[in-house]
Amino acid sequence: MARNIQSLERAAAMLRLLAGGERRLGLSDIASALGLAKGTAHGILRTLQQEGFVEQDDASGRYQLGAELLRLGTTYLDVHELRARALVWTDDLARSSGESVYLGVLHQQGVLIVHHVFRPDDSRQVLEIGAMQPLHSTALGKVLSAYDPVAHSEALESDRKAFTDRTVCELEGFEHILDITRARGYAADVEETWEGVASVAAPIHDRRRMPVGAVGITGAVERLRPDGELRPELIAAVRDCARAVSRDLGAGRF
């Protein structure tokens, strides 16, 4: 059985202590409560402080939880609110399109799949919640890169790997695709990530009109693009789903 990393366990215990105790605690209080030497406790606190997870009051020298934890916690709640708001609409999209539906958010220079609705047939399928998709080649990733400045920066900084002969990797071509995505309100991936697979995705916005995710459908090229062009009714269905989820998140009309 793999051994736990002691320094991480101590850091986690320290954060729990600061969360559950008094508003601010001194070094001696923290070291005593956790049974640590002051030098050890100070080293962990200094690292947590550098990462923004802990803050030190200049006047008293006491420690409290930092703003970075608030940001992470808000992101966690936003993602789960997004998924909760999208459940009904993504089910409807799967039924109307006959294809698999994916809900994705930006995470670590990629797209994290936070919800997946199976294609409504009897075929064998694998649940992909928790899977990661690239930003530069997938429809979900292009949508996030087009509308979210952070995703855009991360896509530019990442290694834009060629998955197929159709993958657009060079910067000018990729930026052109993002311009098209913004102009028409959706992104497409036609065999740019997987041979024989096409996708369409549209952005989801929150009450601040900020992009918080993307929703899309994925299926065989011959179903999504039977005559060489993506079926317009599928594009419309994806965009309608994205707008519906956005409205439920308080974004109003788009």
Side-chain angles (χ1 to χ4, degrees):
M1 186 172 63
R3 297 176 59 187
N4 292 340
I5 300 174
Q6 188 179 54
S7 59
L8 292 180
E9 289 182 329
R10 288 173 170 174
M14 202 167 284
L15 293 174
R16 292 191 185 99
L17 178 66
L18 290 170
E22 299 176 8
R23 182 172 177 80
R24 295 189 178 99
L25 293 173
L27 174 60
S28 297
D29 300 323
I30 295 170
S32 176
L34 299 179
L36 299 175
K38 283 188 179 180
T40 301
H42 184 255
I44 296 171
L45 284 167
R46 187 172 63 247
T47 300
L48 291 172
Q49 186 177 0
Q50 289 171 350
E51 295 299 325
F53 296 133
V54 163
E55 296 173 353
Q56 187 177 27
D57 180 66
D58 291 334
S60 67
R62 290 174 172 264
Y63 294 90
Q64 65 184 24
L65 294 179
E68 183 64 8
L69 281 175
L70 174 62
R71 188 188 71 81
L72 292 177
T74 300
T75 300
Y76 177 85
L77 291 175
D78 283 349
V79 166
H80 283 264
E81 182 183 6
L82 170 62
R83 183 177 182 277
R85 298 290 186 180
L87 290 177
V88 172
W89 300 112
T90 51
D91 283 347
D92 287 347
L93 178 58
R95 282 192 296 269
S96 65
S97 67
E99 301 295 344
S100 300
V101 177
Y102 294 87
L103 187 68
V105 298
L106 176 66
H107 181 68
Q108 295 181 351
Q109 293 191 321
V111 183
L112 174 66
I113 303 302
V114 296
H115 186 52
H116 174 199
V117 184
F118 283 162
R119 185 171 64 255
D121 60 20
D122 295 328
S123 63
R124 183 175 181 181
Q125 300 173 63
V126 177
L127 188 65
E128 296 186 44
I129 294 175
M132 294 291 293
Q133 293 186 3
L135 284 170
H136 70 286
S137 63
T138 62
L140 292 172
K142 292 177 195 177
V143 163
L144 293 174
S145 299
Y147 287 90
D148 184 341
V150 176
H152 182 229
S153 297
E154 294 194 353
L156 298 188
E157 294 169 3
S158 66
D159 178 19
R160 294 184 296 279
K161 176 183 175 182
F163 297 102
T164 73
D165 292 340
R166 293 173 175 264
T167 310
V168 177
C169 302
E170 57 93 19
L171 181 58
E172 185 177 352
F174 180 62
E175 290 282 27
H176 179 61
I177 287 174
L178 299 188
D179 288 340
I180 293 173
T181 298
R182 285 186 284 265
R184 65 189 184 184
Y186 72 92
D189 163 14
V190 181
E191 297 188 285
E192 295 176 50
T193 312
W194 303 281
E195 296 283 356
V197 176
S199 301
V200 180
I204 296 171
H205 297 81
D206 66 7
R207 61 185 62 87
R208 299 162 296 175
R209 297 295 182 96
M210 296 296 292
V212 292
V215 64
I217 60 171
T218 297
V221 171
E222 59 266 24
R223 293 196 304 269
L224 271 65
R225 198 169 176 253
D227 302 317
E229 297 291 336
L230 290 165
R231 290 163 53 194
E233 69 271 21
L234 294 182
I235 296 171
V238 170
R239 297 190 66 192
D240 286 346
C241 178
R243 283 192 287 260
V245 178
S246 297
R247 285 197 300 269
D248 278 3
L249 289 171
R253 295 185 63 85
F254 268 86

